[in-house]
Amino acid sequence: MSVFPRISLRPEVADYLKGVFLNKELLASIGHQEAERHFQTLLTCLSHPPSYSCVRASVHLAPLDEIRRKLSEELKKQKCGSEEEQLEIFLHPSVPDVLLIPVVGPRCVQQLSSEVVAGAQCGNAVLRGAHVFAPGILACPKYMKVGDVVSVFSDVEGKCTRGAFSFHGKKTFVGNGVAEKDRVGIFGTGETVRGVAVRMTEPLYWSPSFDGVLPHLAFLQNLPSVVVGHVLGPRPGERILDMCAAPGGKTCHIAALMEDQGEVVALDRIRNKMELIRQNVEKLQLRSVKAFCFNSTKVISDDIIGNAEGPPFPPESYDRVLLDAPCSGLGQRPNMASTWSLKEICSYPPLQRSLFRAAVRALKRGGILVYSTCTLTLAENEEQVAWALRTFPGLTLLPQEPRVGGEGMPGAGLTPEQLSLLQRFRPELSWEPGAAKPIASRADGDTIGFFIAKFQKNSFAACGDAQEDQD
């Protein structure tokens, strides 16, 4: 059952996306009617959460079965949901360090007269099992006190004024909870208040909260993001570069896959995000990670000779490079609204290409480069692959293991063979709300939107000229 409206987009962005999903190559492949159906389904499923939570188990610290048992014991302590919502934890059939926990919903929850309005991102997090933290609250009743039972709504269009008593604009109900802070405690101090403000007791979609649950053994992460680490295929003793690393989930996974033997250099240009990387590295007890605040477009310098302790580094310093590129993020779920303009959506490809050039320069000959995004556009995904293959003759596409997503989407002029080597996660192709299917059969399809390409640098891959970047 679909309970939320389709994702709200600016008209020019909706038209742009429609052009992507009804491009000439795709229409020639599947026809207009099928392409239109997929696009309309996509707009609806983006506003709904996936039907399961994905947990990456720290198998470098404990066996998978032990982590599964401990996680089950911890999550059963949470008194949330009804008797029929029995907690089960499933193994992923092909990704060896992934545990899957079904999300129950949409549930029948009675709306109350006392309303709390949270920001859109906070509302999205509630649909994935989070409680409502104080910074996310925009409006609450004038006399709300600790212990009050309230209904929580998400401000879909971002129009609610912080500190308001009520809000009558476009909002979406996400469930009921109990206030753990009163109004003064949320808005009256003049300072940013931390901690849980509403503890969700009757969420519309029930998923366990992972806040403080086995922090060193269970890492909440979207399935495609876990697949990326396996596709990169790190090995003990290698030197690996993670170019856009914050908050560090993929960085830590890479270090764990190489048994914490070797070196993983994690870079991010935003200083306040570096602490997130360091916290995750410490939490997962990893010693092979070195994190630096640095602009990855400048990570390689011809003036550096020998082993550099920190960036920039000499060319061809790394066995493998992960470029999980900054992107428009249109594949994230749940996402009920995006206020971005078309100009903002289209601003990412030039930055992605600058980063890609640096990645190729950083890579040793014979090394592996994985490029990934969490967005839906051709310009940030398949068109970037086509550009890379034109610009760097020494790069070749490689098959990916594990194979979880579908093939690339037509529309960028890639051959069928090239498309078959890519992984594009397209939730709209298999989304059936309320379908009673075993989790193993729906896990690979009901994901966020995501894209992965894997390259090998077989010889010197010279950069193309400036005109190539205008393609």
Side-chain angles (χ1 to χ4, degrees), residues 329-349:
L330 292 172
Q332 292 290 356
R333 295 174 60 200
N335 186 9
M336 297 181 196
S338 172
T339 59
W340 283 21
S341 67
L342 183 57
K343 182 179 180 180
E344 289 171 308
I345 297 293
C346 295
S347 67
Y348 284 94

Side-chain angles (χ1 to χ4, degrees), residues 134-208:
I137 292 183
L138 301 176
C140 70
K142 185 174 183 179
Y143 300 108
M144 187 177 83
K145 59 184 182 300
V146 174
D148 283 356
V149 181
V150 297
S151 283
V152 178
F153 290 80
S154 175
D155 171 21
V156 174
E157 296 179 330
K159 295 183 178 180
C160 180
T161 302
R162 180 169 177 80
F165 297 122
S166 61
F167 177 62
H168 301 289
K170 188 174 181 181
K171 58 189 177 183
T172 299
F173 177 63
V174 295
N176 296 333
V178 177
E180 296 206 347
K181 296 182 185 295
D182 59 19
R183 180 180 174 84
V184 173
I186 297 171
F187 299 122
T189 64
E191 300 178 357
T192 301
V193 180
R194 304 295 179 187
V196 173
V198 178
R199 187 165 298 278
M200 298 303 296
T201 54
E202 292 184 295
L204 197 62
Y205 280 85
W206 182 81
S207 176

Side-chain angles (χ1 to χ4, degrees), residues 225-292:
S225 298
V226 183
V227 172
V228 164
H230 290 283
V231 169
L232 185 66
R235 298 173 182 172
E238 291 183 330
R239 195 176 190 213
I240 296 177
L241 175 64
D242 186 354
M243 296 183 71
C244 305
K250 297 181 184 70
T251 305
C252 293
H253 191 205
I254 291 168
L257 288 173
M258 55 196 290
E259 300 172 14
D260 208 20
Q261 300 174 32
E263 182 179 89
V264 183
V265 173
L267 305 180
D268 203 277
R269 62 188 292 271
I270 301 177
R271 186 167 300 278
N272 61 9
K273 289 185 176 182
M274 296 307 299
E275 184 59 27
L276 296 175
I277 299 175
R278 296 188 179 100
Q279 286 174 4
N280 281 322
V281 167
E282 182 178 351
K283 181 170 60 179
L284 298 178
Q285 303 174 31
L286 297 165
R287 299 180 301 276
S288 59
V289 177
K290 296 181 179 179
F292 302 95

Side-chain angles (χ1 to χ4, degrees), residues 4-79:
F4 301 132
R6 299 188 310 175
I7 183 174
S8 175
L9 302 168
R10 290 191 179 187
E12 68 271 19
V13 173
D15 289 343
Y16 172 73
L17 266 187
K18 186 170 184 177
V20 170
F21 282 81
L22 275 73
N23 71 75
K24 292 181 179 179
E25 285 186 47
L26 193 58
L27 293 180
S29 175
I30 65 174
H32 189 281
Q33 184 175 354
E34 191 70 359
E36 178 72 34
R37 185 179 69 84
H38 289 166
F39 177 63
Q40 297 302 328
T41 302
L42 173 69
L43 295 180
T44 301
C45 80
L46 285 176
S47 64
H48 292 70
S51 59
Y52 62 89
S53 296
C54 176
V55 172
R56 174 168 57 80
S58 299
V59 294
H60 66 292
L61 297 178
L64 183 62
D65 286 342
E66 179 182 334
I67 296 173
R68 183 186 187 187
R69 176 181 57 78
K70 288 183 176 180
L71 184 60
S72 179
E73 291 172 355
E74 288 297 314
L75 296 183
K76 284 178 179 177
K77 296 176 184 177
Q78 298 184 18
K79 298 182 185 297

Side-chain angles (χ1 to χ4, degrees), residues 64-136:
L64 183 62
D65 286 342
E66 179 182 334
I67 296 173
R68 183 186 187 187
R69 176 181 57 78
K70 288 183 176 180
L71 184 60
S72 179
E73 291 172 355
E74 288 297 314
L75 296 183
K76 284 178 179 177
K77 296 176 184 177
Q78 298 184 18
K79 298 182 185 297
C80 185
S82 57
E83 291 182 2
E84 69 270 14
E85 293 162 2
Q86 296 299 316
L87 178 69
E88 291 185 82
I89 301 179
F90 298 88
L91 304 177
H92 190 280
S94 59
V95 186
D97 50 359
V98 161
L99 299 172
L100 303 170
I101 303 167
V103 171
V104 179
R107 305 161 68 237
C108 184
V109 180
Q110 183 74 35
Q111 295 184 26
L112 308 173
S113 59
S114 185
E115 298 181 1
V116 167
V117 180
Q121 292 303 315
C122 182
N124 293 339
V126 168
L127 295 176
R128 297 297 297 265
H131 298 296
V132 181
F133 284 75

